[in-house]
Structure formats: C-alpha cells, structure tokens
Amino acid sequence: MLTITQALYDQIVAHARKDHPDEACGVIAGPAGSDRPERFIPMLNAAMSPTFYEFDSGDLLKLYREMDDRDEEPVVIYHSHTATEAYPSRTDISYANEPGAHYVLVSTADTDGMGAFQFRSYRIVEGQVTEEEVNVVEAY
C-alpha cells in the first residue's frame, strides 16, 4: 500500500494537469528504507510528448547524487497519461528499474466514465505489475 499525504497527492495532480497535454513526470524522495514519500521533485519530461515521458539524463544523475547526499531514495516515481487509463504501458514496465518504488500514474483523460482523472499506484518488479491501494492521509 502507498501511504501519501494529501499535500503530495495534490502536488502530483497539479503537475499532471499543468503539463497536459504532455505527460508530466517526477519523483518523491523519502528517507532511505522508510517507504515514506516526503520530498516532491517535479522533473522535466525531456521527450515533451503527450504519449511518452523521459527524464533528462543530466537531471536524473543530479537528482540521484542529491538523494544519496541526503540519505534518501525514490519512494514514488510518477508520471501522467494524457489519453489512456492510469495503467503502466509496456514501455513504462520496461523502464521500471526501482523495485522498491511505488509507480504512480495519473490519467488526465476520461477513460472510465468517472471524469477526466485517475490516480493509481503500482509495484513493478521484474516486469510484473501489481496494483496497490493508495491511502491518502493529512500527515504522517
């Protein structure tokens, strides 16, 4: 289960809506070994595409060095889908290389008749996708 604060949830959603129609992407870092997302880090989608996201390699290297210096790890890796449901694509699955992370997908498209929004979380380990419950809390 992903437990995330309302403030972080709202920041992810705002980023997805701001970057629409392109996919948004980013990371929420937390203390190493804690499984607690704390620090919101919106990233630039270097692909600038409505159907694909890619972290800029220089930005990603800088981020990982910074997390290492702060004894943090990526707890949440998020991105948006602008025309499809919030479910990992084959490309998303192939790029998922953090087995301990929660992969959050936000859809800004109405794919289920429930309105133009979905927020879902997955674990992706060795190509296997498992959806997990999202628990939104006011504070930890």
Side-chain angles (χ1 to χ4, degrees), residues 33-70:
S34 72
D35 196 39
R36 188 176 64 218
E38 291 185 351
R39 188 166 64 96
F40 178 73
I41 307 152
M43 302 285 285
L44 172 69
N45 178 354
M48 291 192 247
S49 167
T51 59
F52 180 73
Y53 83 97
E54 181 177 30
F55 292 122
D56 176 84
S57 59
D59 290 347
L60 197 57
L61 179 61
K62 180 181 169 200
L63 172 61
Y64 271 80
R65 285 183 175 155
E66 185 179 289
M67 286 189 298
D68 192 48
D69 289 346
R70 296 171 63 124

Side-chain angles (χ1 to χ4, degrees), residues 79-133:
H79 77 279
S80 62
H81 282 181
T82 61
T84 60
E85 71 174 314
Y87 188 85
S89 68
R90 285 191 304 267
T91 303
D92 297 338
I93 295 165
S94 71
Y95 284 0
N97 60 1
E98 289 287 349
H102 303 270
Y103 286 87
V104 166
L105 276 95
V106 173
S107 177
T108 54
D110 183 1
T111 59
D112 60 6
M114 302 293 285
F117 179 73
Q118 295 174 347
F119 187 107
R120 296 164 73 183
S121 183
Y122 304 89
R123 294 292 191 150
I124 305 174
V125 179
E126 296 180 4
Q128 296 298 313
V129 178
T130 306
E131 187 166 5
E132 62 184 353
E133 183 181 336

